[in-house]
Amino acid sequence: MTNPNLTTVFKETFDTTETPHLFFAPGRINLIGEHTDYNGGHVFPASISFGTYAVATKRTDQKLRFYSMNFSESGVITCDLADLAYNEADKWANYPKGMIQYIRGAGHKIDAGADILFYGDIPNGAGLSSSASIEMVTGVLLENLFDLDINRIDMVQLGQQVENKYIGVNSGIMDQFAIGMGKQDHAILLNCQTLDYHYAPVKLDNHVIMIINTNKQRTLAGSKYNERRQQCEQALADLQTALSIQSLGDLSKEQFDQHKQLIKGVSNQKRAKHAIYENARTLEALEKLQQGDLKAFGNLMNESHQSLQHDYEVTGMELDTLVAAAWDQPGVIGARMTGAGFGGCAIAIVEKELVEDFKQNVYRIYTEKVGYEATFYTAMIGDGAKETTEGVL
Ligand code: GLA
């Protein structure tokens, strides 16, 4: 989709001649390390070139006006700085409202209102973190408009709090971190327990990362996301009856195998197994990427999907069909679901020259089995949330 001229739409929508500032926050993919963040493990995400733009000006009164070109049917949503409480009627605007409330709550001075227009090119509900993207773009715009000094990792954590306490999805830190801290052509290896991180160049030789959308929409609030989290917490509590650990991420595969009988119930054992094995795979994947061993990296991606399918049970027919079709194609080094699962997107590392065949074949297999189409994008790894002049003006 070509980007519209956001400044023009901004001026028309808010009936102003003032020139707004432009901000951008990406979406993210996760290369490997799924459902490990809230289990104190490692993740390996990267920010992508799709994302959320925001254009904004400060006001002189206390009013906040929000407009999203993606939800134009909702019109301009208005509220007052003094009343930032969650309000169902405000729909998508609860994300920026939540960010404003939490940034203020952290002691930053926001003493006037703002007009903000949003435009995103991340497919909604596709597991590429459109919600964390709108949170983080709001964070950088507030930082800039109100001349605030917000440590970036604090902003990331405030974004997660908005998601957890204000929106009510019990998600981990991965999405906001990937989006707040992203760096062009790099993935981030993040220890979600300590927040230690480092950037790893994503060098794929003659390969590209394809993002493939199942087009099966889901919201995390309506999925089994929170249930999986509770099952892992229960498994941890069972293990803690005999082991002194803080999170599942503290256990090695060997320790898990030795002590898994402590966990009551087969399904909770499987959930914990995934979290612990996936954490080990993530650390191994970083090593393989650094050694330039793409084949081994791809195999770990494949194992990750199988574990998410059979042990964590968050894939579903659509993602499994897509990933299995991808595995069967020549030139594919690895493929797996990315994000929370239950629909959303898969990623595949595909040899550049074979991308067209890959798309055609996977498209055909998927449509025949599922009954509707999958959509293909090439992932470009871009920078994290920032003020920008690029792209849309
Ligand atoms: C969602 C959550 C993340 C993470 C992933 C699964 O994207 O927002 O915190 O738990 O699912 O890895």
Side-chain angles (χ1 to χ4, degrees):
M1 157 150 60
T2 46
N3 289 325
N5 186 318
L6 299 187
T7 299
T8 310
V9 185
F10 178 89
K11 288 180 176 171
E12 278 167 18
T13 305
F14 294 116
D15 194 18
T16 170
T17 51
E18 230 183 298
T19 300
H21 290 265
L22 173 66
F23 305 89
F24 175 74
R28 65 99 191 89
I29 51 173
N30 187 19
L31 297 178
I32 192 164
E34 217 67 84
H35 291 278
T36 44
D37 60 354
Y38 53 83
N39 284 311
H42 292 78
V43 293
F44 198 27
S47 46
I48 54 176
S49 55
F50 297 111
T52 312
Y53 294 89
V55 281
T57 53
K58 197 168 158 178
R59 294 175 59 90
T60 49
D61 60 12
Q62 301 282 298
K63 219 188 244 182
L64 290 156
R65 296 195 293 173
F66 306 102
Y67 179 76
S68 167
M69 292 171 66
N70 301 80
F71 300 102
S72 52
E73 68 283 358
S74 303
V76 175
I77 297 172
T78 306
C79 76
D80 199 272
L81 254 191
D83 182 17
L84 290 169
Y86 183 92
N87 178 355
E88 216 176 314
D90 290 343
K91 299 182 190 141
W92 64 269
N94 281 302
Y95 289 96
K97 277 176 58 184
M99 251 347 244
I100 300 169
Q101 168 151 315
Y102 275 71
I103 286 180
R104 282 184 112 191
H108 298 287
K109 193 169 171 204
I110 299 173
D111 51 4
D115 288 335
I116 315 172
L117 174 138
F118 294 94
Y119 168 72
D121 57 7
I122 311 177
N124 286 320
L128 302 176
S129 289
S130 54
S131 57
S133 177
I134 192 171
E135 286 155 11
M136 296 312 292
V137 82
T138 306
V140 291
L141 83 80
L142 294 171
E143 187 177 39
N144 187 287
L145 289 189
F146 295 94
D147 206 10
L148 308 175
D149 186 10
I150 312 178
N151 172 289
R152 187 50 70 97
I153 293 183
D154 290 346
M155 191 193 287
V156 161
Q157 288 178 311
L158 289 169
Q160 187 196 6
Q161 283 176 31
V162 169
E163 199 72 54
N164 295 169
K165 299 184 194 156
Y166 189 92
I167 303 292
V169 176
N170 223 356
S171 50
I173 191 81
M174 172 171 74
D175 301 348
Q176 289 82 5
F177 202 99
I179 290 170
M181 299 291 290
K183 181 168 159 184
Q184 189 166 8
D185 298 329
H186 289 73
I188 311 173
L189 195 276
L190 170 67
N191 177 333
C192 299
Q193 180 95 316
T194 60
L195 296 190
D196 288 339
Y197 65 96
H198 77 259
Y199 292 107
V202 179
K203 289 205 196 99
L204 300 174
D205 303 333
N206 53 338
H207 295 81
V208 289
I209 305 175
M210 296 299 302
I211 302 175
I212 318 144
N213 190 352
T214 59
N215 288 318
K216 183 191 182 196
Q217 291 221 358
R218 88 285 179 273
T219 60
L220 289 193
S223 76
K224 293 204 176 289
Y225 186 92
N226 286 348
E227 183 186 303
R228 288 292 176 279
R229 197 168 170 157
Q230 277 158 15
Q231 291 172 320
C232 288
E233 278 162 13
Q234 187 53 53
L236 175 64
D238 290 346
L239 289 165
Q240 283 169 329
T241 56
L243 302 173
S244 130
I245 52 169
Q246 273 182 35
S247 71
L248 295 179
D250 288 344
L251 284 187
S252 66
K253 292 191 285 190
E254 294 71 26
Q255 287 168 319
F256 170 78
D257 290 338
Q258 208 182 332
H259 297 288
K260 63 182 178 205
Q261 299 311 337
L262 290 167
I263 303 171
K264 295 191 198 78
V266 180
S267 67
N268 283 6
Q269 269 182 30
K270 282 163 58 178
R271 309 302 185 235
K273 179 179 179 195
H274 166 78
I276 291 159
Y277 275 61
E278 179 78 354
N279 187 34
R281 269 191 291 273
T282 306
L283 291 169
E284 210 184 322
L286 170 73
E287 266 172 40
K288 299 298 176 198
L289 190 67
Q290 285 173 333
Q291 292 161 5
D293 189 347
L294 283 186
K295 192 161 180 290
F297 185 82
N299 284 339
L300 290 162
M301 289 175 70
N302 300 346
E303 282 174 25
S304 165
H305 186 87
Q306 279 155 351
S307 175
L308 288 155
Q309 178 175 357
H310 301 296
D311 285 337
Y312 218 64
E313 298 181 271
V314 291
T315 52
M317 185 274 275
E318 298 80 2
L319 277 168
D320 292 337
T321 304
L322 208 53
V323 169
W327 286 338
D328 281 346
Q329 302 311 310
V332 172
I333 282 198
R336 59 181 292 276
M337 57 156 265
T338 193
F342 315 102
C345 288
I347 52 171
I349 301 186
V350 187
E351 205 178 307
K352 269 183 200 149
E353 292 206 341
L354 294 171
V355 161
E356 282 316 309
D357 291 346
F358 170 85
K359 284 193 210 168
Q360 273 178 25
N361 293 341
V362 174
Y363 177 92
R364 181 178 38 76
I365 297 168
Y366 185 79
T367 317
E368 270 167 21
K369 173 121 188 242
V370 175
Y372 51 84
E373 297 169 7
T375 319
F376 297 76
Y377 314 89
T378 305
M380 310 287 285
I381 301 183
D383 281 335
K386 59 179 182 187
E387 184 170 18
T388 180
T389 49
E390 291 160 24
V392 283
L393 284 175

